[in-house]
Amino acid sequence: MNTLFIYIIFFLGHVAVYFYYRNSFINTTDASKNTKTKNSHLSVTDAKNSIKKANSIVDNKQMLLQKNLKQLEFISEFEMYLEEKTLKNFSIEFLQEFEQIKIEAQLSTLKTTNQLNNSVKLAA
């Protein structure tokens, strides 16, 4: 009885795999036929989509640059505040972490600026 049950499960598994690959093969042949007939139409829409994506990427990078600059401005104001206070009131760990955050913000700003400059150079 157990052997019969195992054979039925294997049979159903093989049937499922057969139909899966059969549908997958049919879908790929239909897709290749459709791409050959609509290839010129897709190239125009792909060009429009790529232009929209490029513009949105530039917009996102500009927003990121604005955020990075605001973060650097806040860090600068906070440093001026710290200069007015005595540094002995703050722990060494805090000051080291603050310095690390400042360096990361500066590097992030420089990286974003370089990416924007490279995209402008490529466009020109």
Side-chain angles (χ1 to χ4, degrees):
M1 182 69 181
N2 288 336
T3 309
L4 182 64
F5 183 69
I6 291 172
Y7 283 133
I8 290 172
I9 289 176
F10 280 132
F11 175 73
L12 291 175
H14 286 299
V15 170
V17 169
Y18 167 75
F19 283 116
Y20 173 77
Y21 282 116
R22 181 175 159 230
N23 288 337
S24 172
F25 178 74
I26 291 171
N27 290 340
T28 56
T29 57
D30 290 342
S32 65
K33 289 177 185 176
N34 289 338
T35 56
K36 289 177 184 175
T37 58
K38 297 181 180 179
N39 202 10
S40 62
H41 175 67
L42 290 177
S43 64
V44 173
T45 57
D46 287 342
K48 289 179 183 178
N49 289 337
S50 65
I51 292 171
K52 287 180 183 178
K53 287 179 184 178
N55 289 338
S56 67
I57 289 171
V58 169
D59 292 340
N60 288 339
K61 288 181 182 177
Q62 288 175 348
M63 282 182 23
L64 182 62
L65 180 62
Q66 289 292 331
K67 289 180 181 179
N68 289 338
L69 291 173
K70 286 180 183 178
Q71 184 180 13
L72 285 176
E73 182 181 1
F74 174 77
I75 289 172
S76 173
E77 290 177 8
F78 191 70
E79 280 182 327
M80 288 188 285
Y81 171 78
L82 288 178
E83 288 176 0
E84 293 175 1
K85 303 293 180 181
T86 59
L87 294 177
K88 294 179 183 178
N89 294 340
F90 300 102
S91 68
I92 294 173
E93 293 85 17
F94 170 76
L95 295 174
Q96 289 173 345
E97 187 69 26
F98 179 71
E99 192 66 29
Q100 183 66 28
I101 290 171
K102 178 179 147 184
I103 292 170
E104 288 175 4
Q106 290 171 342
L107 290 175
S108 177
T109 304
L110 288 173
K111 181 181 176 184
T112 306
T113 305
N114 284 337
Q115 289 175 349
L116 281 170
N117 285 338
N118 288 338
S119 65
V120 169
K121 287 178 186 176
L122 291 176

